[in-house]
Amino acid sequence: GKKNFKDMDKHAPKEEMIKDLENILAKINALEVTAKDEEAKANVKILRKLTEGQIHSINEFDHLKKAIDLLTMQLFEVKDKINSK
Protein backbone atom coordinates (compact mmCIF):
# COMPACT_ATOMS: atom_id res chain seq x y z
CA GLY A 1 0.00 0.00 0.00
CA LYS A 2 0.94 3.60 0.52
CA LYS A 3 3.34 2.83 3.37
CA ASN A 4 5.66 0.74 1.18
CA PHE A 5 5.79 3.47 -1.48
CA LYS A 6 6.71 5.98 1.23
CA ASP A 7 9.57 3.77 2.41
CA MET A 8 10.97 3.53 -1.14
CA ASP A 9 10.90 7.29 -1.84
CA LYS A 10 13.10 9.18 0.58
CA HIS A 11 11.53 12.50 -0.50
CA ALA A 12 8.01 11.44 0.50
CA PRO A 13 8.09 13.10 3.95
CA LYS A 14 8.97 16.51 2.41
CA GLU A 15 6.31 16.16 -0.30
CA GLU A 16 3.82 15.04 2.34
CA MET A 17 4.57 18.00 4.61
CA ILE A 18 4.16 20.44 1.71
CA LYS A 19 0.88 18.78 0.69
CA ASP A 20 -0.40 19.07 4.27
CA LEU A 21 0.58 22.74 4.43
CA GLU A 22 -1.08 23.43 1.07
CA ASN A 23 -4.26 21.83 2.45
CA ILE A 24 -3.98 24.13 5.47
CA LEU A 25 -3.57 27.11 3.10
CA ALA A 26 -6.79 26.11 1.35
CA LYS A 27 -8.57 26.08 4.73
CA ILE A 28 -7.06 29.48 5.56
CA ASN A 29 -8.41 30.84 2.25
CA ALA A 30 -11.85 29.51 3.18
CA LEU A 31 -11.55 31.20 6.60
CA GLU A 32 -10.76 34.50 4.89
CA VAL A 33 -13.99 34.30 2.90
CA THR A 34 -16.02 33.78 6.07
CA ALA A 35 -14.04 36.27 8.22
CA LYS A 36 -16.61 38.67 9.68
CA ASP A 37 -14.54 41.50 11.14
CA GLU A 38 -11.13 43.17 10.76
CA GLU A 39 -9.61 41.17 13.62
CA ALA A 40 -10.62 37.87 12.00
CA LYS A 41 -9.21 39.05 8.65
CA ALA A 42 -5.94 40.11 10.32
CA ASN A 43 -5.63 36.70 12.01
CA VAL A 44 -6.19 34.95 8.68
CA LYS A 45 -3.38 37.04 7.14
CA ILE A 46 -1.06 36.00 9.98
CA LEU A 47 -1.97 32.32 9.54
CA ARG A 48 -1.33 32.57 5.80
CA LYS A 49 2.09 34.23 6.28
CA LEU A 50 3.14 31.59 8.83
CA THR A 51 2.01 28.72 6.60
CA GLU A 52 3.67 30.14 3.48
CA GLY A 53 6.84 30.73 5.53
CA GLN A 54 6.76 27.11 6.67
CA ILE A 55 6.50 25.87 3.06
CA HIS A 56 9.39 28.15 2.09
CA SER A 57 11.52 26.89 5.01
CA ILE A 58 10.92 23.24 4.08
CA ASN A 59 12.00 23.95 0.48
CA GLU A 60 15.07 25.91 1.60
CA PHE A 61 16.05 23.11 4.01
CA ASP A 62 15.73 20.60 1.18
CA HIS A 63 18.06 22.70 -1.03
CA LEU A 64 20.60 22.91 1.81
CA LYS A 65 20.44 19.15 2.36
CA LYS A 66 21.12 18.51 -1.34
CA ALA A 67 24.02 20.99 -1.33
CA ILE A 68 25.57 19.33 1.74
CA ASP A 69 25.18 15.87 0.14
CA LEU A 70 26.96 17.14 -2.99
CA LEU A 71 29.77 18.71 -0.95
CA THR A 72 30.19 15.52 1.06
CA MET A 73 30.49 13.47 -2.14
CA GLN A 74 33.07 15.89 -3.52
CA LEU A 75 35.06 15.75 -0.28
CA PHE A 76 35.22 11.95 -0.51
CA GLU A 77 36.36 12.19 -4.15
CA VAL A 78 39.16 14.57 -3.14
CA LYS A 79 40.12 12.29 -0.25
CA ASP A 80 40.23 9.28 -2.61
CA LYS A 81 42.47 11.16 -5.07
CA ILE A 82 44.84 12.15 -2.27
CA ASN A 83 44.91 8.59 -0.87
CA SER A 84 45.51 7.00 -4.29
CA LYS A 85 48.71 9.00 -4.86
Side-chain angles (χ1 to χ4, degrees), residues 2-44:
K2 193 177 179 206
K3 210 171 189 90
N4 292 342
F5 175 74
K6 192 174 143 189
D7 294 337
M8 286 190 317
D9 183 7
K10 68 175 184 171
H11 295 295
K14 176 216 168 199
E15 300 304 325
E16 220 170 278
M17 282 192 287
I18 299 239
K19 202 176 87 182
D20 289 345
L21 287 165
E22 284 170 349
N23 288 337
I24 290 169
L25 267 181
K27 289 174 186 165
I28 290 169
N29 290 333
L31 279 177
E32 188 177 35
V33 173
T34 59
K36 301 275 183 258
D37 54 34
E38 290 308 305
E39 187 184 359
K41 286 176 182 155
N43 286 333
V44 168

Side-chain angles (χ1 to χ4, degrees), residues 34-80:
T34 59
K36 301 275 183 258
D37 54 34
E38 290 308 305
E39 187 184 359
K41 286 176 182 155
N43 286 333
V44 168
K45 281 193 174 94
I46 292 167
L47 288 171
R48 180 181 291 113
K49 273 277 176 230
L50 289 171
T51 307
E52 287 171 347
Q54 192 69 20
I55 291 170
H56 180 73
S57 295
I58 290 168
N59 285 324
E60 286 299 299
F61 181 77
D62 200 55
H63 292 311
L64 281 172
K65 235 168 62 178
K66 286 175 181 163
I68 291 169
D69 287 347
L70 188 63
L71 267 175
T72 304
M73 279 169 36
Q74 289 171 336
L75 272 173
F76 280 116
E77 284 171 18
V78 169
K79 198 179 100 181
D80 288 343

